[in-house]
Amino acid sequence: MPARRSPTDRPDAGFTILEVLIALAVVAVVIVAIGSVMSTNARGVQALENHVALAQTAQMVMATALPPRKELAPGVLSGEVRGFRWQVDIGPLDGDAAGNDSNVAWVPELVKIRVRSPSGAAVELQTIRLMRRPQR
């Protein structure tokens, strides 16, 4: 009677070295793909955070840096807050509807707010404010 082999001594039991290497290669490719997705996601989140900080700074400049309507005058204001440089340009609106009509007490003025982040990204907001016509 021939000797009985245990199930682990059979030639078809377990994995060959080639099968193990292929499995390791597949696992490595999957790990690299997951790492790439995570890296791209982290860059996207960082870009979004930078954009939100820029927009919040522009909104803060609009709310706090513009003088009250009585003190608003054509010209340029500038400053820096938390490393963000800002500039406010106040000037006549193109195609001024009031023209040179001295009977009009209020004239529209274009207000441009530019904010530049430390990284170089920039945003520009524009609004129109009515200003009392200067007395002559």
Side-chain angles (χ1 to χ4, degrees), residues 111-132:
V111 179
K112 292 181 185 177
I113 301 168
R114 292 182 195 91
V115 179
R116 182 171 301 277
S117 74
S119 67
V123 67
E124 181 176 311
L125 302 176
Q126 294 184 5
T127 186
I128 298 172
R129 295 278 171 106
L130 285 177
M131 294 174 39
R132 191 168 287 283

Side-chain angles (χ1 to χ4, degrees), residues 5-102:
R5 290 184 162 176
S6 68
T8 56
D9 290 339
R10 293 186 332 195
D12 60 342
F15 297 104
T16 65
I17 190 74
L18 184 60
E19 291 170 329
V20 170
L21 289 176
I22 291 173
L24 286 174
V26 169
V27 168
V29 167
V30 169
I31 288 174
V32 167
I34 290 172
S36 175
V37 169
M38 294 291 287
S39 174
T40 302
N41 189 24
R43 282 192 305 270
V45 167
Q46 182 67 33
L48 185 59
E49 286 174 350
N50 290 341
H51 183 73
V52 167
L54 189 62
Q56 285 176 338
T57 303
Q59 185 178 15
M60 183 182 69
V61 167
M62 185 178 229
T64 61
L66 288 179
R69 189 181 308 268
K70 292 182 202 176
E71 301 168 16
L72 196 63
V76 177
L77 305 169
S78 63
E80 185 173 329
V81 60
R82 296 185 321 232
F84 291 82
R85 300 186 66 55
W86 58 268
Q87 179 176 340
V88 177
D89 294 320
I90 304 169
L93 180 65
D94 292 339
D96 191 352
N100 291 326
D101 186 0
S102 60

